[in-house]
Amino acid sequence: MYTIGDYLLDRLNELGVEDIFGVPGDYNLTFLDHITAHPQLSWVGNANELNAAYAADGYARTKGFAALVTTFGVGELSAINGLAGSFAERVPVIEIVGSPVSTVQTDKKLVHHTLGDGDFLHFEKMHDAVTVASAHLTIQNATSEIDRVLTTALSLRRPGYINLPIDVAAAPAEKAQKKLQLKVTSPIDSTLLEKIQTAFSSAKQPVFITGHEIQSYHLEDTVAKIAAHTTVPVAALSLGKSSIDETHPQFVGIYSGALTAEPLKTYVDNADLVILLGAQLTDTATSGFSQSFSASKIIAIHPETTTVFGHDYPSNDFKELVEALTTIDYRMETSAALKTMPSTKEFIATDTLLTQNRFWEAIETNFKQNDTIVAEQGTSFFGITNTQFKKDMRLIGQPLWGSIGYTFPAALGSQLAARSKRHLLFIGDGSLQLTIQELGMALRAKLTPLIFVINNNGYTVEREIHGPNERYNDIPTWDYAQLPTVFGGTDQNVATYKVTTETELAEALVTAQADTTRLQWIEVVMDQTDAPELLKEMGRIFAKQNTH
């Protein structure tokens, strides 16, 4: 019998989902039977629901859409932090919550995983702030509500929530006769395009700044076309690194407010037209809001609204509007030499102990075209920000939401979405201790990322902001090189390394890059007082920002 659960799974598969993350619980078990029986879907069992949400986020960033399944109450609340990160950074993830049968809910029975008050809507309401669409399915509304939630989440690039009672999932349904129709938005305001054209016509020193919303809508190629058409310089925020191919002639570097390298800083701060393409000027991206250009110079193009010199134009189609910029009648006659990222230099290793600066120099020389880089929001993200990417490289990070430990499951989710792509994960020891449980899933699924565990004995970001020697920034001492064995690692599925010097790192990189059939686990030991210079500067800024 074809069921409502089958209908939901077919719709997910229609949107490109091939793997579903989650944790089993008694309220979703019979639905999981339909997942494992589905010929185009695979069940990815996670160690906990938070990790499942992180992994789904990474999967969606690479594949475009993702789903996870939790049980009612305890499971969905465990996952909600991951869902919030997806909402903040515009990642379309669907959470499917298996809930008690409908009669139990309508009769307000005091069953497990509830607050004991007979109200089964508490947790659904808690998701309102971190989803763009939610549905409590009944037999009568199920198919139409499934379609509504999925299309809204995909159109707005944000999470959706589906409450699926056991009996509803098992109820009969008819197969869909038509493909899903994405939500249609309002046409582009012709007055808005005229305003943008006028602004370009009078500009002498314009600049594009790109951000993470470009990546969410997969508009990187469109940005490259805009840059080639106008020859206007393009800078990216750290919250948006790889939103334009960094080998593009018009890409000039990462803009970080006061911490931006010269001459890019002076050029951007004195620009007479700043076009923000899906770029949010957050505290992290601007070094504590230290940008010097004013709102009177900004055209900010975002999914919900476009602002031209302080005037809002809502409800324009973001993708169409960005694509329309490829027809702007403008071309710079001259382009200043603004590149702030010098060409990658050869790394010549010595027997000296590793430092942050030398580590990132070594890593940069080992980048390959099409690599996916995943960098934890800590030492790793600040270290990777000013490296030079090769053609078609992508960065996955979480600099806006910044949830510690996010990147370990996210990297694994991304590689499940694109097994043929090389993935390099950089994560600190403090972050890793939160989500290490997914190493078991990675080995079971035969994933082969290169994982760099930066062991510098604690929470380096927090040390740079406050309390460099305080106990609360210390963590338990683990033997990181031995961890894969604990989670099912053998000589057949994982290779482990522990490096302390430049020479040891260089040798490990050569060996690891040649070994493509096993997961590569590289523990990198560095001094706890060492940190990338950008992180040290940001630490001082955040310390001041957090002062009363």
Side-chain angles (χ1 to χ4, degrees):
M1 181 180 70
Y2 190 81
T3 66
I4 289 171
D6 295 324
Y7 181 94
L8 172 55
L9 296 175
D10 281 348
R11 283 305 204 195
L12 290 171
N13 188 238
E14 179 186 325
L15 295 176
V17 172
E18 296 178 287
D19 304 273
I20 296 181
F21 303 89
V23 177
D26 61 338
Y27 295 139
N28 65 33
L29 291 175
T30 54
F31 176 59
L32 299 190
D33 289 340
H34 290 256
I35 295 176
T36 56
H38 197 287
Q40 279 82 45
L41 294 175
S42 295
W43 169 251
V44 181
N46 297 97
N48 60 60
E49 292 86 358
L50 177 59
N51 286 354
Y54 288 156
D57 182 291
Y59 187 93
R61 289 183 193 237
T62 294
K63 202 167 183 65
F65 204 65
L68 72 148
V69 178
T70 70
T71 198
F72 181 77
V74 293
E76 58 185 307
L77 294 190
S78 178
I80 198 170
N81 175 52
L83 212 63
S86 298
F87 185 92
E89 302 204 357
R90 304 199 78 106
V91 183
V93 173
I94 297 296
E95 182 180 18
I96 303 163
V97 177
S99 65
V101 296
S102 302
T103 54
V104 166
Q105 297 190 47
T106 56
D107 292 344
K108 299 181 182 295
K109 291 187 176 180
L110 304 184
V111 297
H112 60 284
H113 298 338
T114 70
L115 299 182
D117 61 359
D119 188 339
F120 287 83
L121 298 179
H122 285 308
F123 315 125
E124 194 170 319
K125 292 175 182 176
M126 291 179 187
H127 284 77
D128 286 348
V130 295
T131 57
V132 290
S134 63
H136 194 111
L137 300 189
T138 66
I139 293 173
Q140 292 73 29
N141 73 11
T143 56
S144 61
E145 284 291 87
I146 288 169
D147 290 358
R148 178 183 64 82
V149 171
L150 296 186
T151 55
T152 303
L154 187 59
S155 297
L156 300 181
R157 299 311 203 269
R158 277 186 163 144
Y161 173 98
I162 293 176
N163 186 304
L164 181 63
I166 296 170
D167 57 313
V168 175
E174 293 185 4
K175 288 188 177 183
Q177 300 301 308
K178 297 187 298 183
K179 297 286 187 181
L180 283 168
Q181 299 297 309
L182 292 184
K183 190 175 180 181
V184 178
T185 57
S186 302
I188 298 173
D189 187 336
S190 59
T191 304
L192 170 59
L193 286 176
E194 292 172 5
K195 291 282 187 183
I196 295 174
Q197 179 63 70
T198 300
F200 269 99
S201 298
S202 58
K204 302 298 183 185
Q205 188 171 313
V207 64
F208 289 108
I209 299 179
T210 59
H212 71 290
E213 292 170 346
I214 291 297
Q215 294 159 297
S216 179
Y217 282 76
H218 300 284
L219 293 172
E220 295 92 337
D221 289 344
T222 302
V223 171
K225 290 177 183 177
I226 295 169
H229 174 72
T230 62
T231 65
V232 171
V234 181
L237 297 178
S238 58
L239 177 58
K241 182 175 172 67
S242 75
S243 52
I244 179 172
D245 190 326
E246 294 191 0
T247 63
H248 194 287
Q250 301 312 120
F251 175 69
V252 291
I254 302 297
Y255 180 77
S256 304
L259 301 185
T260 307
E262 294 289 4
L264 179 59
K265 177 183 179 299
T266 296
Y267 182 90
V268 174
D269 285 345
N270 291 285
D272 57 1
L273 178 60
V274 178
I275 309 98
L276 302 180
L277 295 179
Q280 297 280 3
L281 300 176
T282 67
D283 58 348
T284 303
T286 62
S287 304
F289 309 111
S290 63
Q291 70 273 17
S292 294
F293 51 84
S294 67
S296 64
K297 307 294 185 183
I298 296 175
I299 295 176
I301 300 175
H302 298 293
E304 272 79 38
T305 186
T306 293
T307 303
V308 179
F309 309 141
H311 182 76
D312 290 340
Y313 293 81
S315 303
N316 285 281
D317 186 286
F318 178 66
K319 185 172 184 288
E320 288 190 15
L321 181 54
V322 173
E323 290 174 345
L325 297 183
T326 59
T327 64
I328 287 292
D329 184 14
Y330 186 85
R331 192 168 181 86
M332 291 188 71
E333 293 183 5
T334 59
S335 182
L338 299 174
K339 290 278 187 181
T340 59
M341 290 182 175
S343 299
T344 302
K345 297 178 181 178
E346 182 183 3
F347 180 79
I348 301 175
T350 70
D351 288 330
T352 57
L353 294 176
L354 266 175
T355 64
Q356 287 284 340
N357 285 341
R358 291 288 284 166
F359 174 73
W360 295 110
E361 287 176 11
I363 292 301
E364 185 175 321
T365 64
N366 282 269
F367 287 157
K368 294 182 178 180
Q369 184 173 327
N370 294 313
D371 277 349
T372 295
I373 306 298
V374 189
E376 181 72 18
Q377 185 59 29
T379 303
S380 300
F381 193 87
F382 289 99
I384 210 77
T385 294
N386 289 319
T387 58
Q388 175 69 57
F389 278 13
K390 287 184 164 53
K391 184 173 177 55
D392 296 328
M393 285 180 62
R394 294 179 62 247
L395 174 66
I396 293 176
Q398 202 188 48
L400 176 54
W401 186 243
S403 188
I404 184 172
Y406 155 80
T407 55
F408 190 67
L412 305 179
S414 176
Q415 186 158 68
L416 276 168
R419 282 181 176 268
S420 62
K421 278 202 169 188
R422 193 174 80 142
H423 281 64
L424 290 80
L425 166 65
F426 301 90
I427 186 167
D429 49 354
S431 298
L432 181 69
Q433 290 196 11
L434 273 77
T435 52
I436 182 62
Q437 305 95 328
E438 290 313 309
L439 181 52
M441 181 272 281
L443 295 170
R444 183 180 62 201
K446 297 183 172 62
L447 299 180
T448 58
L450 281 74
I451 298 175
F452 297 83
V453 180
I454 299 176
N455 179 1
N456 51 9
N457 196 35
Y459 298 128
T460 303
V461 172
E462 283 73 11
R463 291 191 198 279
E464 292 297 328
I465 297 172
H466 183 79
N469 299 307
E470 295 293 342
R471 290 179 56 196
Y472 46 70
N473 286 327
D474 296 337
I475 60 173
T477 300
W478 287 9
D479 190 341
Y480 294 98
Q482 297 299 319
L483 281 178
T485 303
V486 176
F487 289 92
T490 67
D491 290 342
Q492 284 70 49
N493 59 17
V494 64
T496 61
Y497 314 78
K498 184 173 183 176
V499 301
T500 61
T501 68
E502 293 179 9
T503 301
E504 289 172 348
L505 174 65
E507 292 172 350
L509 288 172
V510 171
T511 304
Q513 290 190 114
D515 187 354
T516 59
T517 62
R518 297 185 294 173
L519 185 150
Q520 304 296 306
W521 182 267
I522 305 172
E523 178 186 357
V524 182
V525 181
M526 287 185 273
D527 189 271
Q528 83 171 41
T529 63
D530 191 13
E533 190 56 37
L534 180 60
L535 174 55
K536 289 179 177 291
E537 294 288 345
M538 288 294 293
R540 287 189 278 270
I541 289 170
F542 286 151
K544 184 177 180 180
Q545 180 176 299
N546 294 340
T547 302
H548 292 297

